[in-house]
Amino acid sequence: MSLDPARLAPMANAIRALAMDAVQAANSGHPGMPMGMADVAAVLWSKYIKFDPKAPKWPDRDRFVLSAGHGSMLLYSVLHLTGYSHPTIGEIRNFRQFGSPCAGHPENTHLEGVEATTGPLGQGLAMAVGMAIAERHLNAEFGDALVDHRTWVIAGDGCLMEGINHEAIGLAGHLKLGRMTVLWDDNHITIDGSTDLSTSEDIRARYAATGWHVVSCNGHDTADIERAIDEALADPRPSLVACKTIIGKGAPNKQGTSATHGSALGEAEVAAARQTLGWSYPAFEIPADIYADWNATGDRGNAAHSQWRDRLKASDRATEFTARMNGELPQLHDWAAYKAQVAAGGPKMATRKSSEAALDVLTQDIPALIGGSADLTGSNNTKTPSTGPLTAENYGGRYVYYGIREFGMAAAMNGMALHGGIIPYGGTFLVFTDYCRPAIRLSAIQHVRVVYVMTHDSIGLGEDGPTHQPVEHVQSLRMIPNLLVMRPGDTLETAECWEIALNERSRPTVLALTRQNLPAVRHDASENLCAKGGYRLRGAKAGRRVVLVATGSEVELALNVADTLEGQGIGADVVSMPCTELFDEQPDAYRADILPRDVLRVSIEAGTTFGWERYTGLDGLRIGLDHFGASAPAEVLFEEFGFSVEKIMPKILAKLG
Ligand SMILES: Cc1ncc(C[n+]2csc(CCOP(=O)(O)OP(=O)(O)O)c2C)c(N)n1
Ligand SMILES: [Mg+2]
């Protein structure tokens, strides 16, 4: 079927008009990209994207990601015109105003139809790779009848220029994600001007070298766009469709220049654009026949959806599939027994090993768990017998070898979680959270359940030295809102932290885990005490004058310090604080009981002390590491840097006076 160019032109102009008028009304925003890609969008939704505005979340819809998130008005226009209940025209009029779901950049929490929060360039495309992985995996598991959709991306020059693009397309090419199509807004313009200012790269050659199919088209010739997309769909590889466009197309004096990128066109230019486009309607008014043509684009998806519903009804796996897509956890058969066994005691163990032991059980019971590591599988202990490799030959596997692509891994995990049906976890060294921090931040903004398994969490990793030893990382991750940062102190706490992370449906978690062995510090699994964030691990025996608050590997040290204090008749509580965020959410009375003000409060954590004043008070004592580590065996480093009973005792005694 070929589309009718005469019908597509006014449909595209409706996007152009809404974009330039909304940006003009807000006097803020980006008209150039929506105006430039309007023709491509009209073709894409008219013929290709499978969507149902009446049921925006049905699991077998195509996923569309606007990676060039600054062009948000393109997406808002399409959602409105195709008949999603939101955004309304009123909400579009309020583009970029407080309370409007039409935020400056698309936010997945604001509108159905916005599959991912985008704006940080490059990450949208990288998340789409995760969505495409999720689709193939669930297809392998549930079959064509239930899972059979595509992933579409609109990306700009910026998305392709960012470093993460290399990681993302490398992974997609390797995994042969042929159902992924990227439409590149090849307009030769970025904010500073022509792309000639900053790049001479042969993007087509780079994509081809990475295992992608590449095709070009004139992004303003709808028949040519159609030809190119048809070719992309026919090719088994993931496809890059280079759409040669003019940024701000339709604004007669500004099109083709960066002036249209990120500011209102101005009243005069908007009026001139109306002339040029032959668009005689007032701002925010769309003629009924154009609405009707846009609305009709949803008919294909609506029909596909109803056929899919029939197939779901007929499927003997309907309940399982629906629960899975709803993100529900199945019954955990062996978990309680596992925790009881751990509480009974065991050998000294690194918490990365404790995490592996927990994952052994959890991956057996929870098929949605898809693991992976950025080339540190043996160090992160992320692979279990239940998770075979997920490869181009076997998408049914449950372990992704992400390669040395930390940022790409984190973004792909966001995409998998956004897709639904998958709970992704992935590992690297904690110090390299810096390499994926922008995606961790997007996990938090997007409220997705992603678990970061970050091992080698302090100087305790030893000989690899300061480049590999996290110092500021735990504390700096705690600063990210809506992110749980957990530093468990033994095998039981690690199990509890995993349990919390998996039950958190709208928050990501970072697990900070040790390389070095730790003894068991708790032997009662009757209540998940980590869920309180911090709890009294051991109460003072003598009159309490000190509360020691420690996390992770330093809990053992705190217990030893407490023993020594008690030996001198000084009562000391030991508080284990695996997760400050959860502790902060406890009632005042609980927190006051755990951290009383009338005693000396001492924090012990092998990381920056910055921020621990919140728990020790300014008059408390903070034992930490406010400088980089060194290359030496772990025990030597702990001793040298003051993490020993002998070095801590005099500081406490001096404070007690
Ligand atoms: C990671 C990141 N860096 C910088 C920006 C700021 N920024 C927004 S759009 C843009 C230029 C993008 O150029 P292009 O993708 O070609 O978009 P176009 O101007 O063609 O619409 C920049 C630098 C951003 N949003 N994200
Ligand atoms: Mg551009």
Side-chain angles (χ1 to χ4, degrees):
M1 177 201 72
S2 263
L3 297 167
D4 177 3
R7 290 189 99 118
L8 290 170
M11 289 170 74
N13 284 341
I15 294 177
R16 293 191 169 97
L18 286 174
M20 69 181 181
D21 289 334
V23 172
Q24 191 61 39
N27 196 22
S28 162
H30 302 76
M33 184 272 177
M35 295 178 80
M37 284 296 275
D39 300 304
V40 173
V43 172
L44 203 53
W45 269 274
S46 293
K47 181 166 171 182
Y48 298 100
I49 295 191
K50 181 169 73 169
F51 69 104
D52 182 358
K54 293 178 188 65
K57 293 277 189 197
W58 71 291
D60 201 30
R61 68 190 183 280
D62 283 359
R63 304 301 194 270
F64 170 78
V65 177
L66 186 76
S67 192
H70 58 280
S72 58
M73 268 311 303
L74 180 140
L75 184 50
Y76 301 149
S77 302
V78 167
L79 295 178
H80 173 72
L81 291 165
T82 52
Y84 284 71
S85 57
H86 293 280
T88 62
I89 199 72
E91 288 163 345
I92 287 180
R93 278 176 182 272
N94 272 327
F95 177 53
R96 289 184 162 238
Q97 307 309 305
F98 194 82
S100 171
C102 298
H105 295 83
E107 297 192 40
N108 73 312
T109 49
H110 288 22
L111 285 171
E112 289 180 325
V114 175
E115 303 281 2
T117 293
T118 53
L121 296 174
Q123 283 202 64
L125 194 158
M127 287 190 278
V129 171
M131 293 178 187
I133 295 172
E135 192 273 343
R136 282 297 82 191
H137 176 75
L138 291 164
N139 171 274
E141 225 178 303
F142 291 96
D144 288 346
L146 298 186
V147 184
D148 181 17
H149 53 269
R150 296 186 171 278
T151 304
W152 303 90
V153 177
I154 288 182
D157 301 299
C159 292
L160 271 52
M161 215 183 280
E162 290 286 354
I164 191 177
N165 189 251
H166 173 69
E167 300 183 21
I169 70 164
L171 190 60
H174 178 69
L175 290 176
K176 300 190 165 73
L177 301 174
R179 290 169 159 253
M180 175 167 181
T181 307
V182 173
L183 298 129
W184 165 29
D185 180 14
D186 181 10
N187 62 17
H188 226 78
I189 291 288
T190 66
I191 292 178
D192 278 356
S194 165
T195 52
D196 291 340
L197 291 168
S198 56
T199 181
S200 318
E201 181 179 80
D202 184 344
I203 287 173
R204 290 167 181 79
R206 175 164 66 91
Y207 270 69
T210 314
W212 283 59
H213 159 254
V214 181
V215 58
S216 303
C217 67
N218 175 346
H220 300 301
D221 175 340
T222 53
D224 201 40
I225 298 166
E226 213 181 327
R227 173 201 54 79
I229 298 177
D230 281 341
E231 194 182 301
L233 295 190
D235 194 282
R237 294 167 290 179
S239 287
L240 176 73
V241 182
C243 308
K244 196 89 210 133
T245 60
I246 297 168
I247 191 170
K249 168 101 165 111
N253 307 300
K254 294 191 171 179
Q255 69 177 26
T257 74
S258 59
T260 65
H261 164 89
S263 349
L265 296 176
E267 297 290 354
E269 184 71 359
V270 168
R274 279 195 150 66
Q275 286 282 322
T276 305
L277 296 169
W279 188 267
S280 52
Y281 320 105
F284 305 110
E285 271 189 45
I286 309 289
D289 58 328
I290 298 178
Y291 264 126
D293 280 350
W294 268 110
N295 266 275
T297 65
D299 292 349
R300 273 178 307 108
N302 188 269
H305 180 198
S306 96
Q307 289 158 15
W308 178 86
R309 256 193 315 245
D310 291 342
R311 293 198 299 275
L312 181 69
K313 232 177 266 165
S315 167
D316 52 7
R317 298 183 71 191
T319 312
E320 180 193 356
F321 179 78
T322 304
R324 180 85 181 257
M325 291 305 293
N326 287 341
E328 291 159 25
L329 293 182
Q331 198 69 39
L332 301 184
H333 299 293
D334 306 319
W335 185 243
Y338 168 72
K339 284 207 302 180
Q341 172 215 318
V342 168
K348 283 186 99 176
M349 202 188 269
T351 51
R352 62 184 173 131
K353 282 292 282 182
S354 311
S355 168
E356 180 182 6
L359 277 171
D360 263 358
V361 180
L362 293 167
T363 52
Q364 237 174 76
D365 276 347
I366 308 175
L369 277 170
I370 303 278
S373 165
D375 202 46
L376 287 169
T377 295
S379 301
N380 303 144
N381 300 67
T382 32
K383 185 140 180 354
T384 72
S386 310
T387 56
L390 188 160
T391 64
E393 291 70 42
N394 178 20
Y395 291 120
R398 289 171 56 196
Y399 194 82
V400 182
Y401 288 101
Y402 287 103
I404 306 96
R405 300 184 180 105
E406 294 83 6
F407 193 7
M409 169 178 75
M413 292 202 291
N414 282 338
M416 288 184 220
L418 287 165
H419 179 280
I422 286 177
I423 305 171
Y425 70 90
T428 181
F429 289 149
L430 180 66
V431 79
F432 301 133
T433 50
D434 284 344
Y435 274 53
C436 41
R437 190 176 174 97
I440 297 176
R441 185 169 194 269
L442 272 196
S443 307
I445 287 186
Q446 296 183 106
H447 291 254
V448 290
R449 176 170 45 185
V450 171
V451 186
Y452 294 93
V453 182
M454 300 309 197
T455 68
H456 298 57
D457 70 344
S458 75
I459 49 168
L461 67 84
E463 293 85 344
D464 270 344
T467 55
H468 283 51
Q469 292 161 353
V471 172
E472 73 281 22
H473 298 78
V474 168
Q475 203 60 288
S476 79
L477 288 163
R478 286 182 183 133
M479 291 197 295
I480 298 180
N482 199 46
L483 173 68
L484 297 182
V485 180
M486 298 186 174
R487 192 162 183 259
D490 71 0
T491 302
L492 180 56
E493 282 198 355
T494 306
E496 290 182 343
C497 288
W498 261 111
E499 187 175 278
I500 297 162
L502 295 180
N503 280 296
E504 283 283 345
R505 294 176 62 149
S506 58
R507 267 198 289 204
T509 299
V510 172
L511 297 173
L513 305 171
T514 67
R515 169 175 186 255
Q516 75 277 24
N517 286 334
L518 305 180
V521 294
R522 206 176 97 222
H523 301 282
D524 175 9
S526 55
E527 188 189 351
N528 185 332
L529 291 174
C530 291
K532 293 195 186 316
Y535 64 94
R536 188 174 295 121
L537 177 62
R538 203 166 81 189
K541 296 182 194 82
R544 181 173 67 192
R545 294 182 63 197
V546 177
V547 172
L548 301 158
V549 189
T551 76
S553 46
E554 284 68 71
V555 175
E556 177 192 10
L557 175 58
L559 288 166
N560 293 339
V561 172
D563 284 343
T564 309
L565 286 167
E566 296 280 355
Q568 301 184 17
I570 300 168
D573 283 0
V574 174
V575 171
S576 176
M577 182 78 86
C579 182
T580 58
E581 293 87 354
L582 290 175
F583 182 74
D584 292 346
E585 290 171 7
Q586 302 307 311
D588 288 352
Y590 178 80
R591 285 183 289 127
D593 177 53
I594 298 299
L595 296 180
R597 284 169 184 276
D598 57 351
V599 297
L600 174 65
R601 290 170 289 176
V602 181
S603 66
I604 313 179
E605 184 173 67
T608 181
T609 59
F610 182 94
W612 273 107
E613 322 74 61
R614 300 175 74 198
Y615 305 101
T616 64
L618 289 176
D619 49 354
L621 182 61
R622 290 164 291 283
I623 309 292
L625 195 70
D626 290 309
H627 53 82
F628 294 118
S631 172
E635 317 79 67
V636 175
L637 292 174
F638 278 118
E639 178 63 39
E640 289 289 330
F641 293 141
F643 296 91
S644 68
V645 174
E646 295 68 35
K647 295 232 168 104
I648 292 173
M649 277 300 293
K651 292 185 180 170
I652 294 177
L653 295 177
K655 272 278 181 191
L656 288 174

